[in-house]
Amino acid sequence: RIAFVNRTPSDPREPHYSRVDREAGYVSAMREAGLTPSVITIPAAPDLYADRLGHMLRSYREFLSSSYLPTAVLCESGGRVMLHAASLAGLKVPDDLSVMTFDTHASADLEVAVDRLLVRDRQMGRSAVQELCALLKDPTAPRPPVTIPFEFHRVGTVGLGPHR
């Protein structure tokens, strides 16, 4: 039971492209594996950063206290907040719940590390400049999608054995 947890964007009219793509990728991979996708969307958060963190923590705790408790969560963002919510709910990571997130920094907050799929900002920037140069050189040439591989950084929040 692997859930994808995302947040309603602050402005639902303009969701960040990565949210849509990450959720679609999750759903596709789950179906390909013969598993049922479970997308959990928490409500939009307040504008102030401190208020957003509190809102996210309360929403994650509520989710982890619901009748549907997954064995693993893939957080669109807020993996470290999910770790705290799991702890407050009395869950042991990774024994009771595996937690993974997306990030752009391998060492983001070493004091509270979470397994992450890492996309390198530098590689993304380099690829964007290469695409722009190619487009300027020949604006009519077809531009195939560019794939930037993720790196998996493991710190131990994803369990390797069976859950419950």
Side-chain angles (χ1 to χ4, degrees):
R1 296 182 315 276
I2 305 168
F4 181 80
V5 181
N6 63 10
R7 297 176 292 143
T8 302
S10 300
D11 185 350
R13 295 167 296 164
E14 298 184 30
H16 192 271
Y17 71 91
S18 67
R19 289 178 181 200
V20 174
D21 291 345
R22 289 173 182 178
E23 182 178 324
Y26 158 82
V27 169
S28 174
M30 290 291 286
R31 288 186 177 143
E32 285 174 17
L35 301 172
T36 303
S38 175
V39 175
I40 308 300
T41 303
I42 64 170
D47 288 336
L48 294 175
Y49 181 72
D51 292 342
R52 282 196 313 259
L53 288 177
H55 170 80
M56 191 184 314
L57 180 61
R58 285 187 300 278
S59 298
Y60 286 179
R61 283 187 68 191
E62 184 177 311
F63 161 64
L64 293 175
S65 299
S66 69
S67 60
Y68 172 77
L69 182 62
T71 54
V73 290
L74 173 57
C75 301
E76 180 267 329
S77 67
R80 288 176 290 281
V81 178
M82 181 64 78
L83 288 178
H84 187 59
S87 174
L88 292 172
L91 299 172
K92 293 181 180 146
V93 174
D95 297 337
D96 299 325
L97 180 71
S98 290
V99 178
M100 181 178 279
T101 191
F102 297 92
D103 214 326
T104 55
H105 304 287
S107 62
D109 196 353
L110 289 175
E111 292 180 17
V112 184
V114 61
D115 286 355
R116 68 194 80 219
L117 297 172
L118 180 74
V119 63
R120 297 283 184 179
D121 287 338
R122 183 180 199 137
Q123 189 174 0
M124 196 178 339
R126 179 185 309 277
S127 181
V129 170
Q130 289 170 343
E131 289 299 307
L132 179 60
C133 290
L135 199 67
L136 290 170
K137 186 175 181 179
D138 185 358
T140 61
R143 303 296 322 140
V146 175
T147 301
I148 300 173
F150 285 100
E151 296 173 23
F152 177 55
H153 283 252
R154 178 161 174 72
V155 297
T157 61
V158 172
L160 300 177
H163 284 73
R164 284 180 262 119

